Amino acid sequence: MGEIHRRVALFTGERGVVYATAHGAGKAVSKLKAAAIPFALITAYLYHDPVRNSFKVTDVEARNLHPAIRADLRKFFTASLWVEIVLRSHGGGTHADELFTLLVESLQRLDGASEDDVALLSAQVLWRALLHMGITPDLECCDACGREVGAHEDLRLAAHGGSWCQRCAAARGLRDLPVAGLRIDASARRFLLATGGLPLAAAGAYTFAGAEQLRRSLQQLVQHGLERPLNSLRCAAGIL
């Protein structure tokens, strides 16, 4: 909003996403500056104008500004993807508190993550985001034939939580899959089945050599589930 004012999106566990005006937050020295820092964890004090039904930030207490995220391009775009998922899914709807807790912990872990850990962390966050949206694919059964998929079989992914075994994908043609060509291989299936239900901290103790490919597949599945292109993926082409 002009040179010194900022329009900010605040994600809260209680109210979901709240849009507010932070007057003067763009100044080099401002008590509201932290409100306009991307990915910052803050306590924000708001005034609600009942006539205009609008919010204004009146004060801010910084809790964790996550400086390492903004200093690293890969971390920056990873956090941008997570935040865009929150905004596109309207803050998780009725489960905003759960998604808020996940995002707070994820950003803290991303801030201190090594370069090698970023893809694995993002895969875990994306899988949990899919769980919140209710569109995780069934990793154990084929939606087309209903049979239980063997431990060493790959799955082809479909939008809105569907998945086909390799046999059905070959017989019916990949063009019939809403997300044709995306797959979760057997090792990724075993990894997600072992870690997907664990707290993020406990899941972080597991390593997985195929983290990059798994993250890319889950990114595309999230994008199809939200039924729109994600700007963070477009801008981060070649990085994520």
Side-chain angles (χ1 to χ4, degrees):
M1 297 179 63
E3 294 184 4
I4 63 172
H5 307 311
R6 296 291 182 266
R7 182 74 171 160
V8 297
L10 307 171
F11 181 41
T12 75
E14 297 80 14
R15 303 180 64 101
V17 179
V18 175
Y19 294 93
T21 301
H23 291 285
K27 293 181 179 178
V29 179
S30 170
K31 68 174 184 177
L32 304 183
K33 186 174 182 179
I37 295 177
F39 322 124
L41 178 64
I42 64 173
T43 298
Y45 298 88
L46 305 179
Y47 166 74
H48 178 243
D49 184 336
V51 177
R52 297 183 179 181
N53 192 27
S54 62
F55 289 91
K56 180 174 70 174
V57 182
T58 60
D59 201 2
V60 172
E61 293 177 8
R63 295 168 60 184
N64 192 338
L65 300 182
H66 304 119
I69 293 178
R70 297 186 303 281
D72 183 288
L73 198 60
R74 194 163 180 236
K75 288 184 177 182
F76 179 88
F77 279 118
T78 297
S80 296
L81 172 62
W82 298 349
V83 170
E84 187 174 4
I85 291 170
V86 169
L87 296 176
R88 297 292 190 188
S89 63
H90 305 289
T94 57
H95 302 287
D97 55 339
E98 298 175 15
L99 193 56
F100 176 81
T101 300
L102 173 63
L103 184 62
V104 168
E105 183 179 359
S106 302
L107 290 173
Q108 182 179 350
R109 290 186 171 278
L110 181 63
D111 192 57
S114 69
E115 183 70 18
D116 294 336
D117 291 338
V118 173
L120 191 58
L121 174 61
S122 192
Q124 291 286 358
V125 173
L126 293 171
W127 182 253
R128 285 158 177 76
L130 287 166
L131 282 170
H132 282 295
M133 290 187 284
I135 53 173
T136 48
D138 189 336
L139 298 177
E140 299 182 276
C141 293
C142 173
D143 289 335
C145 65
R147 74 177 180 87
E148 185 175 339
V149 181
H152 300 287
E153 291 186 67
D154 296 349
L155 279 178
R156 294 286 178 171
L157 300 182
H160 311 300
S163 55
W164 284 4
C165 66
Q166 290 289 85
R167 185 187 307 171
C168 290
R172 302 189 182 197
L174 289 178
R175 64 181 178 276
D176 294 329
L177 278 170
V179 193
L182 287 183
R183 69 185 178 92
I184 293 184
D185 63 29
S187 60
R189 285 180 54 234
R190 294 193 297 270
F191 172 74
L192 288 176
L193 286 170
T195 65
L198 297 176
L200 198 59
Y206 289 74
T207 58
F208 177 54
E212 289 282 0
Q213 180 57 49
L214 175 59
R215 183 200 61 187
R216 286 193 289 268
S217 294
L218 294 178
Q219 285 174 178
Q220 294 305 316
L221 189 58
V222 168
Q223 185 167 246
H224 280 272
L226 292 172
E227 298 181 337
R228 67 183 69 187
L230 294 175
N231 292 327
S232 49
L233 292 181
R234 176 180 57 82
C235 295
I239 299 175
L240 295 185

